[in-house]
Amino acid sequence: MSESVLEFKNVSFSYQNDKNQRIAMIEGLNLQIHDGEFVSIIGPSGSGKSTIFRLITGLEQPGEGGIFLNGKQTDNRLGIVGYMPQQDLLMPWRTIMENAVLPLEIKGVKNAAAEAQVRVLLKDFGLNGVENKLPGDLSGGMKQRVSFLRTVLSGSNILLLDEPFSALDAITRLSMQEWLLEQWEKRQKTILFITHDVDEALFLSDRIFVLQQHPISTLQVVEVPLERPRSVRDLSRAEVVQLKEHLIDQLRSRMKA
Ligand SMILES: Nc1ncnc2c1ncn2[C@@H]1O[C@H](COP(=O)(O)OP(=O)(O)OP(=O)(O)O)[C@@H](O)[C@H]1O
Ligand SMILES: [Mg+2]
């Protein structure tokens, strides 16, 4: 088994709601992600998926337990992992180049050097020739590629992607999934990917974590029985269809609970 790049040890998290009640969202959660894995997290809306990401990035701190990145417990995790949040955070008044250089700008990289780093990636990201456009001029898929490019520029070996394709139409979404797998293989990153879409999770992942109960204390872990490279046709294999039905049943029973 390869080493773990991300680990939760006995992590708990609660928050205060607007009626001043303390709500336990995560209780004694353990999880381990291995180097180079592609792991998806699925669960109904409000089940705590984005909160798990905010804990990993350090935007929230656990009440108890430890979060280990690359084997080290780091309390100040801001900026250590590449994070693509659920909402598109491109600044509408900045050009694509100005948006893309942002993580480097924050790190203090000089403008010319930052732009040079971005230029190397633009072609791979299907973004050649758009660097002087504004986000509003780009299609949804292109905007997501700019956000992803920015996440890669963080330089981290761990990338957290929060529902990156949920606003895209089915065809664009499929080509973005295929493209993401190519990038994942090429760049040898570890990816954690939140989605509502069971097909998407099955197509992309080595393992799927299902958020089942509230508060979250265990995750159901499903291994995807598919070789790589994959094609969408693989999703119609009997064992995958069966797994899909099982996952949907689980999510439904969670919603009724
Ligand atoms: N610090 C906090 N203060 C107040 N409420 C919080 C806090 N953290 C989480 N919550 C609440 O917990 C719930 C779960 O949040 P979270 O965003 O993690 O869910 P999610 O699984 O990502 O949902 P979705 O699929 O809709 O994005 C939300 O209802 C949110 O309002
Ligand atoms: Mg969310």
Side-chain angles (χ1 to χ4, degrees):
M1 186 60 78
S2 56
E3 67 189 83
S4 102
V5 293
L6 169 68
E7 192 168 358
F8 275 33
K9 281 190 187 162
N10 212 13
V11 168
S12 298
F13 173 77
S14 62
Y15 64 89
Q16 196 116 11
N17 70 6
D18 45 15
K19 296 189 189 89
N20 261 348
Q21 295 156 320
R22 195 134 271 287
I23 309 289
M25 174 173 264
I26 300 176
E27 254 176 22
L29 180 67
N30 292 295
L31 66 83
Q32 262 192 333
I33 311 278
H34 305 292
D35 191 19
E37 263 195 305
F38 198 123
V39 173
S40 289
I41 300 178
I42 58 173
S45 190
S47 58
K49 303 180 296 295
S50 298
T51 305
I52 292 178
F53 274 14
R54 286 201 303 275
L55 281 164
I56 299 169
T57 56
L59 291 171
E60 303 271 15
Q61 289 296 342
E64 278 172 62
I67 296 177
F68 292 74
L69 292 174
N70 298 312
K72 278 186 249 143
Q73 183 169 7
T74 323
D75 288 333
N76 187 4
R77 296 182 297 282
L78 280 173
I80 295 187
V81 287
Y83 174 43
M84 181 166 160
Q86 195 161 359
Q87 326 72 3
D88 162 24
L89 289 183
L90 297 180
M91 296 176 179
W93 62 90
R94 282 187 154 217
T95 65
I96 297 309
M97 177 56 87
E98 288 164 350
N99 266 289
V101 294
L102 214 63
L104 300 172
E105 206 174 285
I106 293 167
K107 280 191 198 160
V109 178
K110 292 245 158 54
N111 205 263
E115 290 198 2
Q117 277 194 49
V118 170
R119 272 181 222 290
V120 172
L121 292 174
L122 281 173
K123 183 162 175 277
D124 249 9
F125 281 69
L127 293 168
N128 251 350
V130 304
E131 49 272 46
N132 296 321
K133 294 200 163 146
L134 293 171
D137 301 327
L138 265 54
S139 69
M142 285 175 119
K143 275 194 275 203
Q144 290 308 79
R145 286 198 295 266
V146 177
S147 298
F148 185 62
L149 186 152
R150 221 161 50 168
T151 312
V152 167
L153 279 178
S154 69
S156 173
N157 59 333
I158 308 167
L159 306 181
L160 310 178
L161 311 178
D162 194 345
E163 300 203 37
F165 305 148
S166 57
L168 304 176
D169 64 87
I171 302 297
T172 310
R173 187 172 183 145
L174 177 59
S175 57
M176 289 292 288
Q177 289 164 356
E178 289 169 337
W179 174 81
L180 178 63
L181 284 181
E182 271 171 39
Q183 293 297 318
W184 167 66
E185 273 159 26
K186 178 169 173 187
R187 299 180 191 284
Q188 309 207 316
K189 302 282 188 188
T190 304
I191 295 187
L192 230 69
F193 186 99
I194 293 177
T195 179
H196 277 113
D197 182 335
V198 175
D199 277 328
E200 181 166 76
L202 286 164
F203 180 53
L204 295 174
S205 324
D206 298 313
R207 293 191 294 157
I208 302 174
F209 292 171
V210 189
L211 299 192
Q212 271 185 301
Q213 5 79 313
H214 194 86
I216 305 161
S217 56
T218 51
L219 301 168
Q220 206 226 328
V221 182
V222 172
E223 302 243 357
V224 179
L226 289 173
E227 310 280 294
R228 297 186 189 270
R230 296 176 181 176
S231 111
V232 263
R233 281 189 207 93
D234 296 334
L235 294 180
S236 33
R237 284 204 215 155
E239 73 270 27
V240 180
V241 171
Q242 221 174 14
L243 188 54
K244 177 178 169 178
E245 283 168 7
H246 169 72
L247 287 167
I248 290 173
D249 283 347
Q250 295 232 306
L251 291 171
R252 284 200 177 169
S253 62
R254 164 65 174 78
M255 286 180 74
K256 282 188 215 133

